[in-house]
Amino acid sequence: MMSASNTEPIKTPFYDFHVAAGAKMVEFAGYWMPIQYQGITAEHLAVRKNIGLFDLTHMGEFEVTGSDALAFLQKTTTNDVAALEVGRIQYSCMTMPDGGIVDDLLVYRLPDRYFLVVNASNMKKDFDWLQSHLFGDAKLTDISPTTALLAIQGPNAEKMMAELTDYDLGSMVYYSCATAKVGGMELLFSRTGYTGEDGLELYIPYDKAEAIWHTVIEAGKKHGLEFIGLGARDSLRLEMKMALYGNDIDETTNPIEAGLSWIVNLDKDFIGKEVVAKAKADKPDRRLVCLELDGRAFPRHGHDILVDGEMAGKVTSGTFSPSLQKPIAMGYVPRSHAKSGSTVEVAIRNKRFPATVVKPPFYKDASHK
Amino acid sequence: MNIPGDLKYTKEHEWMKIDGNTAVVGITDYAQGELGDIVFVELPNIGDTFDQMQPFATIEAVKAVSDVYAPLSGKIVEANAALDDDPMVINKDPYGDGWMVKMELSDSGQIEKLLGAEDYQKLISE
């Protein structure tokens, strides 16, 4: 089998439209994806203030069916799938026997099946992992190769999308989904996102992708819809303290230290439960926290965090926050310094800069609430 | 891609406009495009001296941080203070208002080591 790096990256159905819109295309997780169009800062602020369109076709989508689907997902994911009602979605993660995170994901409960959305960079790993734990008549299907994903995000997303569907978007709560006509075509869509803003994510079969794109762009014209690349997606999610797999969480971090206790249900059995339960009971030695810095040196992934002059942790994500206009970061610090108001130092290019632990999220005016 | 013919270039994507014993230095259109939105520029002090290809400034962009190298040895005689207030002027006008420093050159013989516009064009299209 060829590895992803030996093959030409996949073009999403929207590739030519990105290029025509002036996108800078990069290879990401085996796909050609737009990293930016007009510039990360302007795109970021467009989503905070109005609406933006993201191509997220690189994300992985799996379907789980069969009468053992629920039991299978209870075993492989940390959140309580039994509590998930039809039409609702839950954020969750998969853990290994040692408690390390395989991936974080969304679990949708549809009338006749479960629908999982996983990270592009982990798609194959996740599929193999889930496949290896299948039992009974539970069946796993990878529908990523024929599923495109567009996200419309921003405080004016509902107003714009209401023109494309008769479905009552006003009744749709955050983390719910529906299958209904959008632009005249039946689609699965959800009130979800990775920006903190209100918005919808549309799961589109490849054969409808081009038509939906044109419909969305046309409706977006009078609402000032802007194209948003993966660069702004990263700064938007970071301002909300939403974890990015590979940066903030990975196989060496457990959900407790990553601040994800809220998606771990210890009243059920799941792979890795023993270790995760112990981590919770013992309290982890380190915690993933939000850091704010003054000045204009920017913390970035991999920079050292120091406590009393000693190496004490690592920055996992960092940027200059376009909304707050200051450097922000996420990183692991010792439990002793995890409370908001604690101060640590971040080593940036041989200099140390004071950083303050702050309460999440960094950006407090997001429209999704 | 804008590569003015009257400038000299380095492999590290700096440009230099030489006028007798002094030269204005900045980064190229290609470099600003690769860096993306520039949020902060740390400039040297007036009077600091640098050897050829020694880093004299740091550019923080949203995506990455990058050192800027002195195309020729010399002393800083002027720095573009306007970059403090609006560093993205480098993105908008890398060869004009986005200039970074003016240097007094200490060894004009080094000029031969710099690239002309054609060679620089070749370098970035590789």
Side-chain angles (χ1 to χ4, degrees):
Chain A
M1 192 178 294
M2 299 234 284
S3 71
S5 57
N6 288 335
T7 53
E8 180 64 16
I10 296 166
K11 290 178 179 173
T12 79
F14 315 114
Y15 177 91
D16 291 340
F17 305 136
H18 299 316
V19 173
K24 182 171 197 167
M25 304 299 291
V26 297
E27 184 184 350
F28 183 79
Y31 288 78
W32 283 117
M33 298 302 292
I35 185 92
Q36 66 169 62
Y37 302 80
Q38 52 177 313
I40 292 174
T41 311
E43 290 166 35
H44 180 112
L45 297 175
V47 174
R48 288 275 179 254
K49 291 177 181 149
N50 187 25
I51 1 170
L53 175 67
F54 302 70
D55 175 5
L56 306 175
T57 300
H58 61 312
M59 298 294 283
E61 295 89 7
F62 305 152
E63 286 183 341
V64 183
T65 52
S67 60
D68 293 314
L70 171 61
F72 164 67
L73 289 172
Q74 285 290 57
K75 184 183 156 197
T76 49
T77 67
T78 58
N79 211 334
D80 185 12
V81 189
L84 192 59
E85 292 168 32
V86 172
R88 294 299 175 96
I89 302 159
Q90 81 188 174
Y91 180 54
S92 190
C93 68
M94 300 183 274
T95 45
M96 302 188 297
D98 70 358
I101 300 173
V102 178
D103 200 3
D104 60 339
L105 77 165
L106 292 181
V107 180
Y108 288 58
R109 187 172 168 202
L110 306 182
D112 59 344
R113 64 196 191 278
Y114 291 92
F115 179 83
L116 315 181
V117 183
V118 303
N119 282 298
S121 49
N122 289 336
M123 213 182 321
K124 185 171 187 320
K125 177 182 84 167
D126 292 349
F127 188 84
D128 292 347
W129 174 262
L130 287 167
Q131 184 82 13
S132 72
H133 292 95
L134 276 178
F135 60 81
D137 72 349
K139 190 172 166 234
L140 178 71
T141 311
D142 179 7
I143 59 165
S144 311
T146 54
T147 307
L149 170 53
L150 290 178
I152 293 98
Q153 301 275 300
N156 295 321
E158 180 182 326
K159 200 163 71 182
M160 181 201 134
M161 292 306 292
E163 294 183 8
L164 294 181
T165 183
D166 292 335
Y167 191 84
D168 179 16
L169 296 179
S171 71
M172 252 184 123
V173 298
Y174 195 48
Y175 270 62
S176 69
C177 61
T179 300
K181 278 190 176 168
V182 177
M185 280 169 273
E186 188 128 299
L187 294 181
L188 169 67
F189 57 92
S190 57
R191 196 161 208 146
T192 47
Y194 197 44
T195 62
E197 299 303 330
D198 188 17
L200 295 179
E201 295 186 298
L202 316 180
Y203 297 90
I204 312 160
Y206 264 34
D207 58 0
K208 295 176 182 166
E210 202 175 323
I212 291 289
W213 173 275
H214 291 306
T215 305
V216 168
I217 296 295
E218 194 52 40
K221 273 182 188 161
K222 64 172 175 284
H223 294 275
L225 178 73
E226 307 231 27
F227 297 112
I228 316 296
L230 294 184
R233 177 170 154 89
D234 189 47
S235 53
L236 286 160
R237 67 93 195 165
L238 179 48
E239 284 187 343
M240 298 309 297
K241 204 209 174 195
M242 291 173 168
L244 172 63
Y245 195 92
N247 273 35
D248 312 303
I249 52 174
D250 58 30
E251 292 182 0
T252 70
T253 58
N254 69 52
I256 308 301
E257 59 196 9
L260 299 176
S261 299
W262 62 281
I263 60 167
V264 173
N265 184 299
L266 293 172
D267 297 328
K268 65 161 199 173
D269 202 23
F270 62 87
I271 298 165
K273 179 185 171 182
E274 249 175 62
V275 180
V276 173
K278 188 170 187 314
K280 188 167 186 182
D282 294 351
K283 296 201 172 138
D285 294 336
R286 58 176 192 166
R287 297 286 305 207
L288 185 64
V289 297
C290 291
L291 298 169
E292 275 184 17
L293 287 78
D294 289 319
R296 298 207 273 181
F298 308 160
R300 297 188 195 269
H301 180 78
H303 284 167
D304 290 336
I305 296 174
L306 298 100
V307 168
D308 301 329
E310 300 285 324
M311 234 288 268
K314 292 275 187 193
V315 170
T316 54
S317 291
T319 193
F320 182 79
S321 162
S323 304
L324 280 66
Q325 287 291 307
K326 57 163 70 175
I328 59 170
M330 284 161 68
Y332 286 94
V333 301
R335 196 170 75 218
S336 57
H337 286 71
K339 278 217 172 79
S340 61
S342 303
T343 54
V344 298
E345 286 179 307
V346 178
I348 303 172
R349 297 193 308 279
N350 306 320
K351 281 188 210 163
R352 292 177 190 174
F353 296 86
T356 307
V357 176
V358 297
K359 282 201 181 97
F362 292 104
Y363 179 71
K364 304 199 190 297
D365 298 321
S367 58
H368 81 268
K369 289 169 281 188
Chain B
M1 191 64 60
N2 184 8
I3 306 176
D6 60 334
L7 304 179
K8 293 288 186 184
Y9 299 89
T10 71
K11 288 177 180 167
E12 302 291 338
H13 311 290
E14 288 84 15
W15 59 262
M16 186 163 229
K17 184 172 192 174
I18 300 165
D19 180 13
N21 195 34
T22 60
V24 181
V25 183
I27 64 165
T28 65
D29 190 24
Y30 173 81
Q32 70 76 20
E34 288 298 300
L35 282 169
D37 294 355
I38 293 168
V39 192
F40 175 56
V41 182
E42 191 180 342
L43 291 169
N45 296 315
I46 308 297
D48 287 354
T49 60
F50 296 93
D51 291 333
Q52 188 173 28
M53 294 322 282
Q54 197 184 351
F56 73 89
T58 305
I59 292 182
E60 287 273 12
V62 172
K63 274 184 288 179
V65 62
S66 180
D67 284 329
V68 186
Y69 299 90
L72 299 174
S73 303
K75 188 169 80 175
I76 305 296
V77 293
E78 213 178 321
N80 185 1
L83 299 180
D84 271 352
D85 295 329
D86 184 14
M88 272 177 70
V89 70
I90 295 178
N91 294 113
K92 290 172 213 143
D93 189 9
Y95 301 113
D97 291 344
W99 68 278
M100 295 178 67
V101 296
K102 191 182 257 187
M103 296 181 79
E104 194 175 281
L105 306 179
S106 59
D107 179 2
S108 54
Q110 293 172 336
I111 292 174
E112 288 165 25
K113 295 188 193 168
L114 299 177
L115 303 174
E118 266 180 43
D119 289 334
Y120 182 66
Q121 168 79 60
K122 264 183 223 159
L123 176 85
I124 58 173
S125 37
E126 266 166 21

